[in-house]
């Protein structure tokens, strides 16, 4: 079932192909000609401030709401023409918790098994494993009504994973959860990804995106403003790099600022804040400087802008 | 396995029906309503003490019971699920809107038939002779499908407030009962009354029940069966088509 998917020039298969995707609600263009690809095996983060259009995009990709323009191909299936075949191959964790609260966790999973056409034995085996992994097995016969938010979210993840999808959509899977539930979900996502599952994830949490995602797309007011690996985005927004260094003895600031690649040096506490045009050259000259002078370097940190700063820079400007 | 194929979708519709029965139909109040409604309707009818034969009263009672029970819960399922946000879960599953509608219909058909069986037991206990069992059986089955489709049509307006839909459906359901030859025999109706009556599927069902118990009928039996079948097809197709269009607006 893989021959129907196009590959890009580097030979990597695109699992999601979005072209000019558009959605209009009344006078608001919630998603405005958005185009991007998600490659096989990657974790793609979809970031944006509140109301940017993340959920609307995810809902169109998963065939929950119709698009007003553009096209979406999921695993080679046009989501409009072959919605059932596409849906059969991906799993979804929607933004709002929505297991059936009048059913038990087990009954919810069996319902999913039926809806995805799994035979009973496989559905039971998978449910058992997933509930164990997610720490819900003991509570499987309790109605979801009595579940905490974190337990519900873990159950919804189990429901999305029951049929072993090749692709997983998650809309803010960890928002509002405690550290334990968050870690459980994130480590499961990492394990799934290591086993080859492609993941599309929307989030507000920059730290999460930074640690988890191979590439991120940033959306603002319905338009994509950047798509790249987190580290590349960080270096791209700041042409000037900052390095923090400390030595085992006092030295003069003019010595440092005279070194190759270093444009400025300022002292804060026992450390020097170095600004550099080229990080690599600056570090090399700091190292050779300390060797020549016989000074030991105690600490050396490169201070890249955080993804938070990238995000604020990209989504904050030109805001009306 | 072709997930989009008809047989697979019908199997998934059955999963929806099982879920509906578990969640919406096996609630205490719904069951009690289901058992008591025919009993009370019957008492109200009986106490009315009008000079109408028991067989006529009973056919009207069965008609009302099947009609009200198969349209009792189904109009509210979509609004409930929209409100509880479980509909988004279903929309992301590999099941068509048509299959979801079919599943909701199956659940309401089973509920309607189950409660109507209670009425039938009352009738038999009262010593009414059942003359045409097969006609009765097929009439109940067809009418249950037809009324369930009406229930799904009532659910079409894309509101997620169940009480709105319940109010709307009561507004439409009660007039239908009055034009269907339940309170006034078709023979005694004025021409304009008959004109309205032929537009209501409930008319044909009630008349078929009367035929099953007494042998008397107003329209030819085959025509009545055919009309019920036609209404069922049209309503089902319309419900599926309209829900496919309105479902995204509930998200
Ligand atoms: N069903 C709807 N009807 C009308 N407008 C809508 C609807 N759904 C979303 N919108 C609008 O579309 C825009 C994008 O909303 P969306 O929910 O996609 O944002 P989001 O990026 O997911 O935000 P958040 O981070 O808060 O979840 C918002 O302006 C929102 O008001
Ligand atoms: Mg959102």
């Amino acid at each position: 079932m893989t021959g129907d998917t196009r590959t890009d020039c580097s030979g990597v298969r695109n699992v999601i192909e979005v072209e000019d995707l558009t959605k209009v609600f009344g006078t608001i263009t919630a998603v405005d000609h958005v185009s991007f690809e998600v490659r096989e095996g990657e974790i793609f983060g979809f970031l944006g401030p509140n109301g940017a259009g993340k959920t609307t995009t995810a809902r169109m990709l998963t065939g929950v709401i119709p698009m007003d323009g553009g096209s979406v191909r999921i695993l080679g299936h046009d989501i409009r023409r072959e919605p059932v075949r596409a849906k059969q191959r991906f799993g979804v964790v929607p933004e709002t918790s929505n297991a059936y609260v009048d059913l038990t966790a087990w009954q919810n999973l069996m319902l999913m098994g039926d809806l995805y056409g799994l035979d009973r034995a496989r559905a039971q085996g998978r449910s058992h494993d997933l509930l164990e992994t997610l720490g819900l097995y003991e509570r499987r016969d309790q109605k979801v009504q009595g579940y905490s938010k974190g337990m519900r979210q873990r159950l919804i993840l189990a429901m999305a994973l029951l049929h072993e999808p090749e692709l997983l959509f998650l809309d803010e899977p960890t928002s509002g959860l405690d550290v334990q539930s968050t870690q459980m979900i994130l480590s499961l996502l990492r394990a799934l990804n290591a086993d080859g599952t492609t993941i599309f994830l929307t989030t507000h949490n920059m730290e999460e995106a930074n640690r988890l995602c191979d590439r991120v797309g940033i959306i603002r007011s319905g338009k994509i403003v950047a798509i790249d690996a987190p580290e590349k985005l960080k270096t791209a927004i700041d042409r000037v790099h900052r390095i923090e260094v400390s030595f085992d003895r006092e030295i003069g600031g003019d010595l440092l600022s005279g070194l190759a690649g270093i444009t400025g040096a300022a002292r804060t506490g026992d450390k020097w804040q170095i600004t550099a045009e080229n990080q690599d050259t600056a570090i090399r000259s700091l190292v050779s400087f300390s060797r020549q002078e016989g000074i030991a370097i105690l600490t050396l940190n490169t201070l890249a802008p955080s993804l938070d700063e990238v995000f604020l820079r990209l989504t904050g400007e030109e805001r009306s | 396995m072709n997930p989009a194929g008809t047989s697979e979708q019908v199997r998934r519709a059955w999963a929806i029906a099982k879920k509906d029965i578990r969640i919406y139909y096996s609630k205490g109040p719904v069951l009690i309503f289901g058992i008591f409604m025919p009993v009370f309707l019957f008492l109200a009818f009986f106490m009315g003490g009008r000079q109408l034969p028991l067989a006529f009263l009973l056919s009207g009672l069965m008609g009302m019971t099947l009609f009200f029970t198969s349209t009792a819960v189904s109009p509210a399922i979509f609004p409930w699920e929209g409100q509880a946000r479980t509909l988004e879960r279903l929309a992301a599953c590999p099941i068509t809107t048509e299959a979801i509608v079919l599943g909701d219909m199956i659940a309401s058909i089973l509920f309607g038939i189950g409660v109507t069986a209670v009425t039938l037991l009352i009738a038999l206990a009262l010593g009414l002779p059942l003359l045409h069992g097969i006609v009765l059986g097929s009439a109940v089955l067809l009418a249950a499908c037809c009324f369930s489709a009406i229930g799904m049509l009532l659910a079409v307006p894309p509101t997620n407030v169940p009480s709105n839909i319940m109010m709307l459906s009561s507004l439409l359901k009660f007039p239908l009962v009055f034009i269907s030859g339940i309170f006034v025999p078709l023979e005694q109706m004025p021409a304009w009354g008959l004109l309205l009556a032929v537009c209501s599927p409930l008319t044909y069902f009630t008349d078929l029940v009367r035929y099953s118990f007494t042998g008397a009928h107003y329209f030819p039996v085959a025509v009545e069966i055919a009309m019920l079948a036609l209404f069922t097809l049209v309503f089902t197709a319309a419900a599926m088509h309209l829900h496919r269009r309105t479902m995204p607006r509930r998200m």
Side-chain angles (χ1 to χ4, degrees):
Chain A
M1 283 191 71
T2 53
D4 48 5
T5 314
R6 277 177 270 158
T7 50
D8 68 10
C9 45
S10 57
V12 181
R13 202 157 69 98
N14 286 330
V15 166
I16 303 178
E17 291 172 326
V18 181
E19 245 171 81
D20 281 331
L21 186 64
T22 301
K23 181 78 192 176
V24 182
F25 292 113
T27 55
I28 306 166
T29 305
V31 176
D32 195 356
H33 295 87
V34 162
S35 304
F36 63 90
E37 286 90 40
V38 175
R39 300 170 194 149
E40 183 173 32
E42 78 175 345
I43 301 186
F44 185 85
F46 204 52
L47 311 179
N50 287 127
K54 303 182 295 296
T55 299
T56 307
T57 304
R59 283 178 167 173
M60 286 191 282
L61 298 189
T62 53
V64 169
I65 57 172
M67 58 193 91
D68 291 329
S71 73
V72 171
R73 289 174 71 80
I74 307 282
L75 294 151
H77 302 286
D78 185 313
I79 194 70
R80 272 191 294 197
R81 272 184 293 159
E82 300 182 299
V84 173
R85 281 171 181 277
K87 288 171 184 179
Q88 184 70 37
R89 294 173 66 186
F90 62 71
V92 185
V93 174
E95 185 172 34
T96 37
S97 261
N98 55 4
Y100 285 95
V101 292
D102 296 312
L103 299 181
T104 65
W106 191 258
Q107 288 169 334
N108 268 295
L109 286 164
M110 290 304 116
L111 172 62
M112 284 303 121
D114 288 345
L115 290 178
Y116 283 91
L118 268 54
D119 63 56
R120 242 321 117 101
R122 175 150 172 246
Q124 286 176 345
R126 283 286 295 162
S127 299
H128 180 277
D129 295 349
L130 284 165
L131 290 177
E132 290 259 284
T133 312
L134 290 162
L136 292 172
Y137 190 69
E138 307 303 313
R139 311 276 295 261
R140 67 189 179 281
D141 290 325
Q142 188 188 341
K143 281 194 177 178
V144 175
Q145 194 96 58
Y147 274 31
S148 72
K149 186 174 172 146
M151 292 166 70
R152 285 184 196 201
Q153 194 66 1
R154 280 179 271 154
L155 172 62
I156 286 162
L157 184 57
M159 288 163 72
L161 292 174
L162 191 70
H163 63 295
E164 295 176 88
E166 299 151 67
L167 167 66
L168 188 60
F169 289 92
L170 305 112
D171 197 347
E172 299 189 27
T174 60
S175 85
L177 301 191
D178 67 8
V179 183
Q180 198 196 0
S181 289
T182 303
Q183 283 315 317
M184 200 179 262
I185 289 178
L186 294 186
S187 65
L188 180 57
L189 292 185
R190 275 198 205 93
L192 284 167
N193 183 247
D195 287 343
T197 309
T198 309
I199 295 176
F200 178 96
L201 171 95
T202 82
T203 182
H204 284 132
N205 188 331
M206 293 303 133
E207 196 37 48
E208 193 172 294
N210 189 26
R211 275 182 307 170
L212 205 60
C213 299
D214 297 300
R215 289 191 310 142
V216 297
I218 295 181
I219 183 172
R220 186 190 67 193
S221 312
K223 293 197 180 78
I224 296 267
V225 289
I227 301 183
D228 217 327
E231 292 308 320
K232 286 198 190 143
L233 282 180
K234 289 178 196 171
T235 45
I237 68 151
D238 253 336
R239 212 72 43 70
V240 180
H241 300 275
R242 279 173 298 139
I243 300 165
E244 193 181 73
V245 65
S246 64
F247 302 99
D248 68 341
R249 58 183 151 93
E250 297 291 320
I251 43 167
D254 49 335
L255 281 179
L256 285 177
S257 49
L259 294 172
I262 292 178
T263 53
R267 204 184 156 127
T268 55
D270 62 343
K271 290 182 257 311
W272 287 93
Q273 306 291 336
I274 310 281
T275 50
E277 218 132 66
N278 184 328
Q279 197 159 279
D280 182 58
T281 320
I283 293 173
R284 283 171 200 276
S285 42
L286 279 172
V287 170
S288 54
F289 166 77
S290 69
R291 190 183 298 138
Q292 279 167 20
E293 304 287 319
I295 315 169
I297 294 177
L298 292 179
T299 57
L300 189 145
N301 296 315
T302 57
L303 303 174
S306 69
L307 198 54
D308 266 320
E309 289 173 70
V310 177
F311 182 76
L312 287 173
R313 191 81 71 85
L314 288 172
T315 60
E317 66 200 20
E318 298 165 33
R319 241 199 173 157
S320 50
Chain B
M1 177 188 72
N2 173 10
T6 310
S7 68
E8 191 56 37
Q9 286 297 314
V10 169
R11 208 168 301 148
R12 294 176 192 190
W14 175 238
I16 297 281
K18 278 195 297 189
K19 175 263 301 173
D20 287 345
I21 292 170
R22 262 216 184 100
I23 298 177
Y24 304 112
Y25 289 93
S26 34
K27 282 193 172 133
V30 176
L31 281 179
I32 290 169
F33 164 83
I35 308 289
F36 279 91
M37 205 198 59
V39 175
F40 281 128
L41 275 181
F42 187 76
L43 286 178
F45 253 50
F46 215 55
M47 302 291 170
R50 290 179 300 156
Q51 307 309 308
L52 291 167
L54 183 63
F56 172 76
L57 291 180
L58 226 116
S59 57
L61 172 66
M62 271 184 86
M64 288 212 292
T65 307
L66 185 58
F67 181 62
F68 281 118
T69 49
S70 15
T71 55
V73 180
S74 49
I77 293 181
F78 267 97
W80 270 328
E81 299 222 353
Q83 202 175 40
R85 307 227 138 261
T86 50
L87 197 61
E88 187 169 350
R89 163 92 269 154
L90 292 184
C93 285
I95 181 168
T96 58
T97 311
E98 287 82 351
I100 297 177
V101 171
L102 178 65
D104 288 347
M105 274 178 64
I106 292 173
S108 97
I109 289 167
L110 293 178
F111 182 65
I113 291 179
V115 176
T116 305
V118 176
T119 329
L120 181 62
L121 290 180
I122 296 180
L124 295 176
L126 288 174
L128 269 180
L130 182 56
L131 303 178
H132 304 283
I134 294 175
V135 172
L136 185 67
S138 20
V140 168
L141 187 65
L142 258 181
C145 297
C146 183
F147 299 156
S148 300
I150 294 179
M152 291 316 293
L153 271 180
L154 293 171
V156 163
T159 165
N160 282 347
V161 187
S163 58
N164 286 355
I165 274 298
M166 285 315 211
M167 184 67 81
L168 175 78
S169 53
S170 301
L171 274 178
L172 292 170
K173 267 151 52 176
F174 280 99
L176 202 71
V177 172
F178 282 102
I179 63 167
S180 301
I182 286 178
F183 299 106
V184 183
L186 292 172
E187 288 84 353
Q188 298 169 16
M189 275 196 179
W192 62 267
L194 267 181
L195 213 62
L196 286 176
V198 295
C199 303
S200 160
L202 187 50
T203 306
Y204 305 106
F205 176 63
T206 313
D207 205 44
L208 282 169
V209 177
R210 184 166 64 134
Y211 168 74
S212 308
F213 283 108
T214 67
H217 54 89
Y218 190 80
F219 300 109
V221 172
V223 170
E224 292 185 324
I225 298 257
M227 284 307 285
L228 272 183
L230 183 68
F231 273 115
T232 308
L233 282 180
V234 171
F235 288 157
T236 307
M240 288 178 173
H241 176 74
L242 293 171
H243 275 291
R244 193 174 47 210
R245 288 181 34 188
T246 56
M247 192 157 113
R249 285 196 255 155
R250 298 175 190 275
M251 302 302 166

